Amino acid sequence: MTEHENRRAVGQVKEVTSLANPLVKDIKALALKKFRDSQNAFMAEGLKLIIDALDLGWQIKTLVFAKAGRGNQAVEKVAARTVAAGGTVLEVSEKVLSAITRRDNPQMVVGVFSQKYRTLKDVRPKNGDVWVALDRVRDPGNLGTVLRTVDAVGAKGVILIGDTTDPFSLETVRATMGSVFAVPVAKATPDAFLSWRKSFPGLVVGTHLKGAVDYRSVDFSNRPVLLLMGNEQQGLPDDLANSCDKLLRIPQAGRADSLNLAVATGVMLFEIRRSALTLEDRP
Ligand code: SAM
């Protein structure tokens, strides 16, 4: 980014201190799914996360930063990138930023991005690829944690089946710690999923409390793997369970009936990806 571009971006910054400002009202409305969907937008907080999102090609609509960010080189660089991408830059008071993020001590920078979903047609797994399908996941913390874990193990993406919590809610985005930008997400009705599943070129494993197979006894290597996880309250319904090649169980001791969905997904993913992960993997 050149000096000239930086100055140009700073010149285009709109200063906003009123909660009644229509731009601020639109961003605040993103707390509701109805408005996230009608604006095809969502909010993410934090400078590093926004830089990562831009680097990964996500489209930024609006950058909001607190007055404290004025003169901060990194913030000004992101502002310049936002302007270059055709987005709007707002410098706001702490009060406005708190209202937007619904937090007392908000991050200095908030980005509004366009939502992005893959279609099932885009999901064409190769050997070694792992995808996770979540049946009607309800809890934003669970979905965010699964997206983060999928990212961490190097799995390829997540398919949301049926009526699920929103991957672009602020709560889910927060729980992903930025992985929402790194992990492709597709949505499907149960029927669309079941018909797509027929052409899945690898192993489809479901996890089930009545599963007869110990998850540690399966060879997951050298083929695409699709891991199917059940809803928090009801587990996998019969049609989804019957579509799996195997139903696996994670053995448990103690009094707990089951594991938390995100924990069970993590246990499964680290087993499926066991041979692919080494301590040397990370730069
Ligand atoms: N009451 C639900 C049931 O009957 O399945 C419990 C669902 S559990 C909280 C959410 C999901 O995590 C399950 O559908 C399953 O996919 C997975 N899960 C949790 N514990 C598991 C275990 N011990 N073995 C296999 N899967 C498990």
Side-chain angles (χ1 to χ4, degrees), residues 207-209 229-233 235 248-250 252 258-259 264:
T207 53
H208 203 288
L209 300 186
M229 304 296 301
N231 163 269
E232 290 96 332
Q233 275 80 43
L248 310 183
R249 183 149 44 106
I250 304 166
Q252 293 184 205
S258 64
L259 295 167

Side-chain angles (χ1 to χ4, degrees), residues 133-135 142 206-211 213 215 227-237 247-252 256-265 268:
L134 299 175
D135 156 44
N142 278 344
T207 53
H208 203 288
L209 300 186
K210 296 200 178 109
V213 180
Y215 77 110
L227 170 66
L228 197 44
M229 304 296 301
N231 163 269
E232 290 96 332
Q233 275 80 43
Q234 291 148 25
L236 284 177
L247 286 181
L248 310 183
R249 183 149 44 106
I250 304 166
Q252 293 184 205
D257 289 334
S258 64
L259 295 167
N260 161 274
L261 166 65
V263 170
T265 309
M268 289 304 304

